[in-house]
């Protein structure tokens, strides 16, 4: 009987000790090897055993439960270690997900296999204990059950919790990071032997985690065939969220036309919260994600960048003489392959691998050491990515180009462009040729200024978002200057006005062509912010120029009339009357110009130049790519907030003021043909209201306490240096419409 008991302890039942599930074979029910773990203990003494005393029966029933636990744990380990589910590397994640969704196979798990390896280690210790008991029983003259109980006493503490663990794993289909999380929670118990066993299982699970981390953070490869790592591919999430196979395939095909490493950076990977263990902080997971993406970028430079780097190397070696040039021509392809290693030296990759190997060899998981290692690896990746983007890709040169063209730092170029396009912008844009018409003054401005020699100018494109495709500045030949026929200009104006507003030119925008790897820094979101500021600044500069041109034009006409009629008393008196009548309007124009000039100076000097200097200081001090991205985001946010573009009420008032200024200029120049001044009076009244509303809002307590306060005070000081705005803002908003004479604003 004792030998049958020992066999039952190893999962083998017989006539004396039976398994109730196997006993049901007579009823036609067979126990499959792949059957789930039983949730009830099925090892029992045979009911016809009458020769065993009740006290011994209870003891044997207790002992054979260990055999049941052993067999169920062994079945779980055997199923989890079955290598038949390992898939071919050629199976795509989409096909695998499609198969799993149809229920064709049980989802495999490398983490379960690792835990099963740990369970096998524990069961081997159990088998050795049973063997030792057998040897001890054989050596005794009178074998007793107490020997068995004494030898297996510690396993009554270990096997039942392990059985409950695998039962929960199978019942809830736990795998990946969820399995690590479960084991980490079970480690917190008051039984040292059980705690040591669970920690050993967790160690086995962490071996898989460290292998995946090494693949991701050393080579930039996501080694996760079964979706168990907390870093996931974007297409896997699309499949999980119900996107069809064809939709995802189409999306991947569209993305494959771009550079792979940049597509991966922006859209390729994300953190799966379901698979992120709770003891790994989100900040640490984001560092892991960043480090892996950075390594992918560094190890996979684009072909254009490789070719460019190859040309630079060729030029350097030509300078070194004939020997160097000949050596370069001997193995050009080999040099191109070395570019990826230059961006991430092998010594740095070895350092990262050594950090992960130290964590892997530790018998326990130390959270602080793990976080320190991840932070160090992230710092290495960020430093080399900074070297690539800032130094080798000339980030500062491109930032300067964006400042020159999007922030109007090249004032001579845009002054020339607006002067050349002034007559064109007096008419509404034509739907079919708006962009092409603008390219004429755009190219003329480049020829007449220093922009033609600027190597970054070819990257700038002028576009009209509502009027079709973009016209590249480097792709358009300079045609002859176009002009609308004088006889049709009025008709064109009236016909187009019904469809398109005269302010249709406010949609003028710029695009900037960015090469690898600068797309990591200049994302579409960043470039759209630059474009938003550009449109605002261009409207402001156009308004300022129109106010100056209208003054110059009318003064020139006045001097011409005076020269013609200075000896003619009648005509001379008429000119003097006209001059006297226009004097109030020029005061209004001066008030407009005063506001626009101060706003323009405030934005260009107090905002753009000061923030640019802050950004340059950060670039000089920082050697971390993510820090640099953060500094640049702060730079753009400061430009937008300190220019009041994020305050709807202020930006609407400023837009209204600029439109009123343009209307005022056009009406002044057309006044010779019309003596009606009611439109000018209306413009003057609206301008007074809006300008004083602007001043009232800007000096409000809500803005005074915001981050804009120091810069806002400078602007208000310029506007109200003689208390004019403060004095007029008190009552102008409630003033009734003035009499039919243009009001004179005493300053």
């Amino acid at each position: 009987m004792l030998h049958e008991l020992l066999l039952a302890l190893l999962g083998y039942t017989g006539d004396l000790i039976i398994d109730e599930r196997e006993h049901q074979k007579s009823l036609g029910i067979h126990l499959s090897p792949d059957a789930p773990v039983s949730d009830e203990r099925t090892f029992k003494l045979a009911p016809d055993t009458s020769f065993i005393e009740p006290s011994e029966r209870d003891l044997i029933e207790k002992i054979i439960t260990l055999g049941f636990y052993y067999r169920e744990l062994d079945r779980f380990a055997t199923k989890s270690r079955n290598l038949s589910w390992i898939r071919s590397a050629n199976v795509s994640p989409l096909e695998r997900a499609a198969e799993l969704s149809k229920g064709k196979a049980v989802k495999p798990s490398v983490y379960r296999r690792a835990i099963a390896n740990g369970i096998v280690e524990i069961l081997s210790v159990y088998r050795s204990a049973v063997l030792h008991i057998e040897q001890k029983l054989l050596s005794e003259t009178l074998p007793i059950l107490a020997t068995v109980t004494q030898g297996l006493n510690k396993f009554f503490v270990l096997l039942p919790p392990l059985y409950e663990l695998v039962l929960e794993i199978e019942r809830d289909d736990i795998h990946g990071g969820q399995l690590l999380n479960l084991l980490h929670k079970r480690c917190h118990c008051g039984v040292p032997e059980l705690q040591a066993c669970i920690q050993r299982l967790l160690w086995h699970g962490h071996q898989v985690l460290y292998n995946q981390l090494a693949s991701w953070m050393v080579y930039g490869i996501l080694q996760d065939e079964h979706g168990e790592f907390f870093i996931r591919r974007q297409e896997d999430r699309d499949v999980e969220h119900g996107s069809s196979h064809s939709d995802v395939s189409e999306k991947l095909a569209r993305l494959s036309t771009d550079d792979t490493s940049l597509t991966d950076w922006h859209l390729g990977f994300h953190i799966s919260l379901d698979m992120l263990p709770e003891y790994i902080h989100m900040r640490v997971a984001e560092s892991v994600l960043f480090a892996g993406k950075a390594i992918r970028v560094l190890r996979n430079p684009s072909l254009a960048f490789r070719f460019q780097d190859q040309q630079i190397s060729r030029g350097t070696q030509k300078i070194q003489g004939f020997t160097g040039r000949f050596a370069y021509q001997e193995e050009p392809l080999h040099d191109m392959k070395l570019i990826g290693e230059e961006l991430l030296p092998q010594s740095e990759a070895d350092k990262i691998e050594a950090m992960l190997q130290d964590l892997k060899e530790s018998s326990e998981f130390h959270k602080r050491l793990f976080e320190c290692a991840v932070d160090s690896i992230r710092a290495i990746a960020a430093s080399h990515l900074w070297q690539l983007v800032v130094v080798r890709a000339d980030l500062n040169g491109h930032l300067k180009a964006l400042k020159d063209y999007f922030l109007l730092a090249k004032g001579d170029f845009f002054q020339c462009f607006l002067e050349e396009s002034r007559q064109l912008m007096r008419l509404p844009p034509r739907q079919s040729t708006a962009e092409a018409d603008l390219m004429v003054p755009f190219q003329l401005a480049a020829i007449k200024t220093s922009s033609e020699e600027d190597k970054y100018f070819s990257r700038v494109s002028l576009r009209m978002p509502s009027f079709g495709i973009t016209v590249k500045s480097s792709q358009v030949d300079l045609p002859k200057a176009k002009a609308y026929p004088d006889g049709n200009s009025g008709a064109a104006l009236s016909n187009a006005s019904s469809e398109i507003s005269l302010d249709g030119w406010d949609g003028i925008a710029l695009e900037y062509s960015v090469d690898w790897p600068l797309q990591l820094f200049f994302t579409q979101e960043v470039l759209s912010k630059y474009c938003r500021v550009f449109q605002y600044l261009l409207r402001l500069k156009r308004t300022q120029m129109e106010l100056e041109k209208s003054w110059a034009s009318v003064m020139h006409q006045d001097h011409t009339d005076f020269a013609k009629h200075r000896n003619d008393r009648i005509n001379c008196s008429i000119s003097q009357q006209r001059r006297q009548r226009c004097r109030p309007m020029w005061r209004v124009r001066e008030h407009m110009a005063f506001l626009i000039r101060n706003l323009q100076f405030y934005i260009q000097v107090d905002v753009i130049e000061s923030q640019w200097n802050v950004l340059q200081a950060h670039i000089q001090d920082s050697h971390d790519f993510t820090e640099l991205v953060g500094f640049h985001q702060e730079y753009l946010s400061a430009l937008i907030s300190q220019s009041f573009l994020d305050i709807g009420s202020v930006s609407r008032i400023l837009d209204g003021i600029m439109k009123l200024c343009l209307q005022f200029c056009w009406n002044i120049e057309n006044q010779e043909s019309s003596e009606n001044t009611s439109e000018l009076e209306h413009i003057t009244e609206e301008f007074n209201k809006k300008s004083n509303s602007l001043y009232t809002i800007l000096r409000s307590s809500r803005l005074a306490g915001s981050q804009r306060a120091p810069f806002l005070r400078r602007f208000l000081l310029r506007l109200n240096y003689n208390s004019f705005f403060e004095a007029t803002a008190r009552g102008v908003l409630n003033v009734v419409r003035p009499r039919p004479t243009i009001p004179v604003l005493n300053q």
Side-chain angles (χ1 to χ4, degrees), residues 17-34:
I17 300 172
I18 62 173
D19 182 358
E20 290 183 343
R21 288 192 298 177
E22 292 181 349
H23 190 66
Q24 292 175 338
K25 288 182 180 180
S26 58
L27 304 176
I29 302 174
H30 301 281
L31 183 62
S32 170
D34 296 328

Side-chain angles (χ1 to χ4, degrees), residues 612-645:
W612 171 259
N613 292 334
V614 172
L615 178 63
Q616 289 300 301
H618 286 318
I619 292 176
Q620 295 298 325
D621 297 338
S622 174
H623 287 76
D624 187 294
F625 177 78
T626 49
E627 284 184 359
L628 203 57
V629 171
F631 292 142
H632 187 246
Q633 291 290 351
E634 292 175 4
Y635 167 72
L636 285 177
S637 298
L639 293 184
I640 290 175
S641 64
Q642 293 174 25
S643 299
F644 317 119
L645 288 175

Side-chain angles (χ1 to χ4, degrees), residues 1-268:
M1 186 189 76
L2 288 175
H3 279 87
E4 189 162 349
L5 176 61
L6 293 175
L7 287 173
L9 288 173
L10 296 179
Y12 299 100
T13 56
D15 295 332
L16 181 63
I17 300 172
I18 62 173
D19 182 358
E20 290 183 343
R21 288 192 298 177
E22 292 181 349
H23 190 66
Q24 292 175 338
K25 288 182 180 180
S26 58
L27 304 176
I29 302 174
H30 301 281
L31 183 62
S32 170
D34 296 328
V37 175
S38 173
D39 56 354
E40 294 182 2
R41 295 190 295 270
T42 57
F43 277 25
K44 303 288 183 182
L45 276 172
D48 55 351
T49 54
S50 58
F51 60 91
I52 300 177
E53 296 294 329
S55 60
E56 292 181 340
R57 176 182 289 272
D58 293 339
L59 183 58
I60 292 174
E61 290 276 5
K62 178 182 177 182
I63 293 174
I64 61 177
T65 56
L66 293 179
F68 168 77
Y69 293 142
Y70 170 85
R71 194 188 68 172
E72 295 302 309
L73 290 171
D74 185 62
R75 288 179 61 245
F76 171 82
T78 302
K79 287 188 297 181
S80 299
R81 300 176 74 201
N82 184 8
L83 298 180
S84 64
W85 49 259
I86 294 180
R87 306 300 182 93
S88 171
N90 296 326
V91 178
S92 69
L94 296 177
E95 293 176 356
R96 183 166 64 251
E99 290 181 5
L100 292 174
S101 64
K102 296 178 181 177
K104 291 184 177 180
V106 176
K107 189 173 183 178
S109 171
V110 291
Y111 281 87
R112 279 198 192 181
R113 175 173 171 77
I115 302 306
N117 290 334
I119 291 176
V120 168
E121 288 182 1
I122 298 172
L123 295 183
S124 66
V125 176
Y126 172 80
R127 285 195 301 271
S128 298
V130 173
L131 177 61
H132 179 71
I133 290 171
E134 182 184 22
Q135 294 172 349
K136 193 172 183 179
L137 289 174
L138 292 175
S139 64
E140 291 179 354
T141 56
L142 186 63
I144 57 175
L145 284 176
T147 303
V148 180
T149 305
Q150 180 191 11
L152 298 178
N153 191 45
K154 66 177 181 180
F155 293 101
F156 286 103
V157 178
L158 298 179
L159 295 189
L162 292 178
Y163 164 74
E164 296 292 336
L165 176 68
V166 299
L167 185 63
E168 182 177 354
I169 291 173
E170 280 212 345
R171 182 180 66 243
D172 299 336
D173 191 23
I174 299 174
H175 56 281
Q178 298 172 344
L179 186 52
L180 296 180
N181 201 42
L182 175 64
L183 291 173
H184 188 264
K185 290 179 178 179
R186 293 293 180 93
C187 281
H188 302 293
C189 65
V191 183
E193 295 85 356
L194 178 60
Q195 185 177 19
C197 287
I198 301 295
Q199 285 179 345
R200 184 62 182 174
L201 297 183
L202 185 60
W203 180 87
H204 279 279
H206 281 151
Q207 298 305 296
V208 178
L209 177 66
Y210 289 135
N211 288 336
Q212 290 179 324
L213 287 172
S215 177
W216 175 245
M217 301 174 77
V218 177
Y219 304 101
I221 299 173
L222 184 61
Q223 193 67 33
D224 183 29
E225 296 183 357
H226 311 299
E228 298 181 285
F229 193 33
F230 60 84
I231 305 297
R232 301 284 290 277
R233 288 189 177 274
Q234 183 70 25
E235 58 264 26
D236 293 341
R237 181 169 67 175
D238 292 337
V239 171
E240 290 176 1
H241 289 179
S243 299
S244 67
H245 187 283
S246 60
D247 291 341
V248 178
S249 300
E250 181 182 354
K251 182 178 180 181
L252 292 176
R254 184 172 64 253
L255 292 177
S256 64
T257 59
D258 301 329
D259 188 81
T260 305
S261 61
L262 296 176
T263 301
D264 290 345
W265 182 271
H266 295 300
L267 300 173

Side-chain angles (χ1 to χ4, degrees), residues 447-475:
I447 293 172
K448 293 182 178 181
T449 61
S450 59
S451 296
E452 189 180 28
E453 301 175 357
D454 185 1
K455 66 177 182 179
Y456 299 103
F457 179 69
S458 60
R459 297 179 177 274
V460 180
S461 306
L462 190 70
R463 67 182 180 91
M464 291 283 290
S466 303
F467 289 86
I469 62 172
T470 301
V471 183
K472 292 277 186 180
S473 60
S474 59
Q475 298 175 344

Side-chain angles (χ1 to χ4, degrees), residues 395-676:
L395 173 66
N396 216 25
H398 290 276
L399 284 172
K400 181 65 167 58
L402 287 169
K403 177 173 176 279
D404 287 342
Y405 295 105
F406 282 79
L407 305 183
L408 274 60
K410 276 190 176 292
D412 59 335
F413 171 77
F414 285 100
Q415 181 71 22
C416 186
F417 167 67
L418 290 174
E419 288 179 355
E420 294 291 341
S421 60
R422 185 167 178 250
Q423 293 303 320
L424 175 65
M425 291 187 184
R426 288 298 184 89
L427 299 171
R430 296 190 297 188
Q431 228 171 2
S432 57
T433 62
E435 289 178 354
D437 290 339
L438 276 178
M439 285 310 301
V440 176
F442 195 70
Q443 292 285 2
L444 280 172
I447 293 172
K448 293 182 178 181
T449 61
S450 59
S451 296
E452 189 180 28
E453 301 175 357
D454 185 1
K455 66 177 182 179
Y456 299 103
F457 179 69
S458 60
R459 297 179 177 274
V460 180
S461 306
L462 190 70
R463 67 182 180 91
M464 291 283 290
S466 303
F467 289 86
I469 62 172
T470 301
V471 183
K472 292 277 186 180
S473 60
S474 59
Q475 298 175 344
V476 177
D477 295 330
L478 186 63
K480 295 181 180 179
K482 298 181 181 180
Y484 296 118
D486 292 340
N488 296 333
S489 59
L493 176 62
S494 60
N495 292 337
S497 297
S498 60
E499 299 178 0
I500 304 170
S501 169
L502 280 172
D503 293 330
W505 298 108
D506 289 346
I508 295 175
L510 290 183
E511 282 186 350
Y512 191 78
S513 176
V514 183
D515 295 333
W516 190 96
L518 289 174
Q519 291 100 328
L520 304 177
F521 194 85
F522 297 117
T523 63
Q524 285 300 318
E525 180 185 0
V526 167
L527 292 177
S528 66
K529 289 181 180 179
Y530 271 107
C531 188
R532 181 183 175 190
V533 177
F534 164 76
Q535 290 178 321
Y536 175 59
L537 293 177
L538 188 66
R539 290 200 305 271
L540 191 60
K541 189 169 184 64
R542 181 186 172 198
T543 304
Q544 179 253 342
M545 190 195 72
E546 285 293 339
L547 288 170
E548 292 179 353
K549 290 292 184 181
S550 64
W551 171 259
S553 175
V554 175
M555 286 300 100
H556 176 73
Q557 183 64 38
D558 185 72
H559 293 161
T560 303
D561 291 345
F562 178 77
K564 285 182 179 180
H565 307 298
R566 61 182 175 180
N567 296 324
D568 187 345
R569 292 184 177 180
I570 299 176
N571 291 329
C572 183
S573 63
I574 295 174
S575 298
Q576 290 178 352
Q577 292 174 5
R578 184 188 302 116
R579 191 181 308 161
Q580 187 69 24
R581 187 174 65 249
C582 292
R583 185 171 299 168
M585 290 185 289
W586 296 127
R587 289 183 179 175
V588 174
R589 190 213 68 86
E590 179 56 32
H591 296 157
M592 291 179 171
F594 174 78
L595 175 59
I596 295 298
R597 278 198 307 268
N598 279 282
L599 178 61
Q600 191 178 25
F601 186 87
Y602 161 74
I603 294 176
Q604 293 290 162
V605 177
D606 292 341
V607 177
I608 294 177
E609 286 301 326
S610 63
Q611 292 299 325
W612 171 259
N613 292 334
V614 172
L615 178 63
Q616 289 300 301
H618 286 318
I619 292 176
Q620 295 298 325
D621 297 338
S622 174
H623 287 76
D624 187 294
F625 177 78
T626 49
E627 284 184 359
L628 203 57
V629 171
F631 292 142
H632 187 246
Q633 291 290 351
E634 292 175 4
Y635 167 72
L636 285 177
S637 298
L639 293 184
I640 290 175
S641 64
Q642 293 174 25
S643 299
F644 317 119
L645 288 175
D646 60 339
I647 307 177
S649 58
V650 176
S651 60
R652 284 192 295 270
I653 290 175
L654 289 173
D655 284 339
I657 287 175
M658 287 187 277
K659 289 179 181 179
L660 287 173
C661 292
L662 291 176
Q663 291 174 12
F664 181 85
C665 294
W666 296 334
N667 277 276
I668 284 293
E669 295 186 18
N670 295 329
Q671 194 183 15
E672 295 296 330
S673 59
S674 175
E675 295 296 331
N676 185 12

